[in-house]
Amino acid sequence: MNNIDVLKQDIIGTVHAANDMDSLEQVRVSALGKKGQITGMMQSLGKMDPDQRREMGQALNKLKNEIAGEIDNRVQILKSEEMKKKLAADKIDVTLPIRPELKGSIHPLSHTFEELFTIFTDMGFDIAEGPDIEDEFYNFTALNFPPEHPARQMHDTFYLPDDNLKEGDASKKLLRTHTSTVQVHVMQNQEPPIRIIIPGRTYRSDYDATHTPMFHQLEGLVIDKKTNLSHLKGCLTDFLSSYFEIDDLPVRFRPHYFPFTEPSAEVDIGCTKDKNNFKIGAGDNWMEILGCGMIHPNVLKNCGIDPDVYQGFAFGMGVERIAMLKYGIPDLRTFFETDLRWLRHYGFRSLEQPNSVMK
Ligand code: PHE
């Protein structure tokens, strides 16, 4: 065996003996590093005569490549051993009981959405979603808000900065102030019959015990050839008595104005309200709960649906608001404070089933 073969056996032996990345790196440096054995031998080539230099040069290059290959293989082996060790240590026994101090709960908002989805999908609604960032067209114009109409300001809109566009420009970007924007997307893309609910975040610049700059709405949209006001009344009355779990819940439709519905109404439910008492159900008072109406023909037209063939209704409600009423939560701001004590008090256990209209 010549010198090079001896050196090769020697270095390969140390590569195989390296049991972690650090020692492998040391082996690499002492063989191939700037002051390494092979590098040193390469530097001595200059002193050899040309024939010897050629022969030796080729042999050293081959050696260098072989050693680098051995090191790469060893790196792969060490990495996979390390991963195996890590996976073995990470093993969890999923059959172990939950540790009591780690028990989580479902946020009342998530629970309320689950209840809403259950009730409306039982009634035959599908779920549709749309973007939080919209423009004037989807938030106002398509929904029949006239330009410069005070209702555009009424919504306390958050506009996105864009130096080139003014309020009122159809493509001026904003955070949607209501989920009615998704009505427009759905009507533009889907032939009636349409029967959808739209859950989502909405934004208005407002902050007190009953308003937060971000809150959630649930919107409903039904369009077909013969959809009429009695369908709207029946649908919402069934929904409200199912959601509040009160069979004879009094429901009142009070005339109102929305630019995108005609006629429009606000819906109230019966309640008892005095100094120390608040209870939903038959009583002396009314509590406003949602907005609704028959889709304005202009909205159908703006979205490419023929108002001479189709008609429909829509409704919209604040999800935190109906959660607060059902579960006796006094302040809307607490929903988003992530206070563990609040979550433990108002949260739900993961296996609690939402109620359904199909009793
Ligand atoms: N978009 C209305 C609001 O945010 C609610 C609504 C939806 C009213 C659909 C009528 C029909 O106040």
Side-chain angles (χ1 to χ4, degrees), residues 8 24 27 62 86 153 169 190 196 239 256 285 300 327 337:
K8 180 173 150 187
L24 186 60
V27 175
K62 190 164 161 255
K86 214 169 148 200
Q153 274 94 57
D169 279 334
Q190 190 183 325
I196 49 154
F239 157 66
H256 194 71
N285 297 90
L300 294 172
Y327 298 113
E337 282 169 358

Side-chain angles (χ1 to χ4, degrees), residues 155 177-178 180 183 204 217 219-220 258 260-261 291-293 314-316:
H155 276 211
T177 61
H178 51 180
S180 305
Q183 285 190 30
R204 294 183 198 179
Q217 286 192 335
E219 185 100 2
F258 297 106
F260 37 93
T261 45
C292 65
F315 55 86

Side-chain angles (χ1 to χ4, degrees), residues 161-355:
D162 185 333
D163 297 340
N164 303 319
L165 295 173
K166 302 192 301 300
E167 265 176 45
D169 279 334
S171 55
K172 176 97 179 148
K173 292 260 189 295
L174 47 81
L175 292 176
R176 68 178 175 196
T177 61
H178 51 180
T179 40
S180 305
T181 51
V182 187
Q183 285 190 30
V184 182
H185 289 288
V186 172
M187 285 191 258
Q188 282 176 335
N189 295 314
Q190 190 183 325
E191 282 274 316
I194 295 172
R195 198 189 285 163
I196 49 154
I197 50 165
I198 305 152
R201 294 193 174 111
T202 47
Y203 306 83
R204 294 183 198 179
S205 175
D206 213 347
Y207 187 70
D208 60 34
T210 54
H211 297 91
T212 48
M214 188 282 296
F215 60 104
H216 296 77
Q217 286 192 335
L218 185 92
E219 185 100 2
L221 174 69
V222 175
I223 300 179
D224 207 339
K225 290 191 174 142
K226 295 199 167 121
T227 308
N228 62 43
L229 195 62
S230 66
H231 296 137
L232 166 63
K233 269 193 91 171
C235 171
L236 289 179
T237 308
D238 275 0
F239 157 66
L240 289 167
S241 80
S242 174
Y243 174 74
F244 287 105
E245 298 174 61
I246 302 174
D247 287 341
D248 55 352
L249 180 70
V251 176
R252 176 172 85 171
F253 287 73
R254 183 169 35 76
H256 194 71
Y257 171 75
F258 297 106
F260 37 93
T261 45
E262 182 58 37
S264 305
E266 273 190 339
V267 179
D268 302 333
I269 52 172
C271 64
T272 311
K273 217 176 351 182
D274 57 45
K275 250 204 276 152
N276 324 308
N277 195 9
F278 173 76
K279 192 164 171 285
I280 291 172
D284 297 332
N285 297 90
W286 293 101
M287 163 72 71
E288 185 241 307
I289 196 98
L290 51 83
C292 65
M294 301 303 297
I295 313 286
H296 197 296
N298 287 349
V299 175
L300 294 172
K301 253 186 267 168
N302 292 342
C303 303
I305 291 182
D306 184 350
D308 292 328
V309 180
Y310 289 107
Q311 53 192 32
F313 66 78
F315 55 86
M317 67 192 88
V319 180
E320 287 84 357
R321 179 173 164 75
I322 62 162
M324 286 163 78
L325 288 171
K326 182 164 174 182
Y327 298 113
I329 304 171
D331 191 320
L332 172 55
R333 291 168 293 199
T334 55
F335 275 75
F336 308 113
E337 282 169 358
T338 64
D339 181 336
L340 256 188
R341 293 162 305 173
W342 185 90
L343 287 168
R344 288 203 177 110
H345 183 79
Y346 289 110
F348 291 84
R349 274 177 289 136
S350 56
L351 293 177
E352 262 165 343
Q353 289 297 317
N355 59 306

Side-chain angles (χ1 to χ4, degrees), residues 56-77:
M56 196 60 179
Q58 277 172 359
L60 282 175
N61 265 330
K62 190 164 161 255
L63 174 65
K64 200 173 123 190
N65 290 337
E66 279 169 349
I67 299 294
E70 287 291 331
I71 292 177
D72 281 349
N73 287 343
R74 189 72 192 145
V75 166
Q76 294 313 321
I77 292 169

